Structure formats: C-alpha cells, structure tokens
Amino acid sequence: QKEVEQNSGPLSVPEGAIASLNCTYSDRGSQSFFWYRQYSGKSPELIMSIYSNGDKEDGRFTAQLNKASQYVSLLIRDSQPSDSATYLCAVNSNSGYALNFGKGTSLLVTP
Amino acid sequence: NAGVTQTPKFRILKIGQSMTLQCTQDMNHNYMYWYRQDPGMGLKLIYYSVGAGITDKGEVPNGYNVSRSTTEDFPLRLELAAPSQTSVYFCASTALAHEQYFGPGTRLTVT
C-alpha cells in the first residue's frame, strides 16, 4: 500500500500569517499531486494540483513539489478564519486511475 | 451543471439490511469513484469505474458492490449491512483520471 503522510495537527496560526502544510509520499512513481480542502461535515474541494517540481501559485495558495525528497507542501498566505478546515493531500496511485489520500491536517486560523 | 449528486444524504440501517447509495454526474466524466471516510481518517477507495460497463475494486471493497450501466450513474450497493460500514460515503468523478470532483456525501449509520 502506497502511503501518503500528513501531520494531523491541529495547526494553529493567527489571522494574516502564512500557514504551511506538509505531505510526504512513498511511491517514487507518483506524477500527480493534489490538495483538497474539507470543511467539517462537507465534501472535499479541490484547491490545487501540481505535476512538476517547483512552485505553483494560485491567489493566496502556493503548492510546492520536490519529487527527489518525495515531499509536497501547501502554503496559505494571509490566512483567514475562513481557511480553517482540514486539508487533504492526495497522490495518484500506481494504477493511474485513483488517488491515495493522506489523513489530513486540521488548520485553525485564529482572529 | 449540478456536478456530482448523491442520494440519500442520511440513512440509518439495521444490521443485515441492504441499500443502494446513488451517485449521478452530469459532466460526462468517464471516471467515477466511491470512497468512505471514517472520523479522523483519510478517504479509502471502495470501487472505481473507468467507463460504462467497467468497474474495479479499490482498497476496501468487501461488503460492497457496484455497477456502471451508463456514463452518468454509479450506484454503490451494500448487502447485509454491518456496524463496520458506518461511515460517510463520497462519490467522485473526473474526466482526467486525477482531478476528482466530489459529491456532497451520504452519512450512513448501521445499528
């Protein structure tokens, strides 16, 4: 079973700060990486995808990928209380058709 | 577009009963997936389908069955419900086999 590991948190940051969420994966053959946000009682919502080494920015979100270190991260700049949620890291499986999900990191942004 | 819809939203089953969770998508996506999510855990893949008439097992298929007779619909059947099947069930779909979009979920309790 290919593993996707995340710190469960909670990660607490003050409003306006940068939140840094980390994820490691075990399958060196993985090619596609995703971050989902899940509010309590709701379904996961795709917020970022990244396929090549380096950084990818979208608004306040930046995804970072380092395939050599098997590490993907999500930075949230100017964090807002509305960013408080669980963030799930997902990596494509060796079947190519499915994703392996981490257990998620709970983020709390305090006013 | 309604996206991915699931019914019912909530259901309570007695041990040994059967039921079908419905999932429909209107985005003409070939790939569809069923996940379950237990508290504090990540998403576990139950079954997936790469097109009408084609299904395959995921990580936790025991106790479940699926069918895919049309592109739009991917129902999940629970036979002989057990307490271990108490969970939140999410259906997802994608055109690209990676960027998955989730339905709102079905919260199932087996007592």
Side-chain angles (χ1 to χ4, degrees):
Chain A
Q1 172 63 29
K2 305 302 181 184
E3 298 291 334
V4 178
E5 300 288 344
Q6 295 181 256
N7 189 321
S8 61
L11 173 65
S12 183
V13 300
E15 185 175 356
I18 296 175
S20 178
L21 304 162
N22 304 315
C23 172
T24 60
Y25 60 95
S26 63
D27 182 4
R28 283 199 169 272
S30 297
Q31 297 293 322
S32 307
F33 307 87
F34 306 90
W35 284 99
Y36 285 81
R37 177 176 62 198
Q38 186 175 25
Y39 293 113
S40 180
K42 301 296 186 181
S43 59
E45 173 192 10
L46 180 66
I47 55 172
M48 289 290 287
S49 58
I50 187 165
Y51 301 96
S52 54
N53 279 329
D55 294 0
K56 178 181 177 182
E57 187 175 317
D58 184 359
R60 295 186 296 112
F61 298 100
T62 299
Q64 299 175 317
L65 175 61
N66 184 326
K67 289 185 179 180
S69 299
Q70 295 176 244
Y71 176 95
V72 58
S73 65
L74 179 70
L75 301 178
I76 306 174
R77 289 181 301 281
D78 187 24
S79 295
Q80 302 296 310
S82 58
D83 295 324
S84 298
T86 296
Y87 289 80
L88 302 171
C89 175
V91 177
N92 74 298
S93 74
N94 53 10
S95 76
Y97 300 127
L99 296 176
N100 291 319
F101 284 84
K103 294 181 181 179
T105 297
S106 175
L107 173 67
L108 178 63
V109 180
T110 56
Chain B
N1 286 352
V4 180
T5 57
Q6 293 181 239
T7 57
K9 287 186 171 55
F10 304 94
R11 183 73 185 269
I12 298 174
L13 278 182
K14 294 190 184 303
I15 294 171
Q17 288 184 323
S18 301
M19 76 165 294
T20 299
L21 282 67
Q22 301 291 346
C23 175
T24 299
Q25 53 92 9
D26 63 0
M27 297 174 282
N28 201 34
H29 287 169
N30 285 327
Y31 302 89
M32 296 187 73
Y33 308 84
W34 274 106
Y35 294 91
R36 61 175 288 172
Q37 186 176 39
D38 300 319
M41 303 295 288
L43 293 154
K44 300 290 186 184
L45 181 65
I46 305 171
Y47 271 96
Y48 66 95
S49 170
V50 300
I54 306 170
T55 63
D56 206 349
K57 296 177 181 179
E59 183 183 358
V60 290
N62 291 345
Y64 307 94
N65 277 300
V66 293
S67 60
R68 183 95 181 272
S69 58
T70 67
T71 300
E72 295 77 20
D73 300 306
F74 190 40
L76 178 72
R77 178 81 176 163
L78 279 71
E79 305 283 359
L80 298 175
S84 61
Q85 293 178 306
T86 293
S87 190
V88 181
Y89 291 84
F90 291 106
C91 179
S93 74
T94 178
L96 299 174
H98 294 311
E99 295 183 346
Q100 297 182 16
Y101 296 91
F102 285 79
T106 294
R107 190 173 298 272
L108 176 67
T109 301
V110 182
T111 63

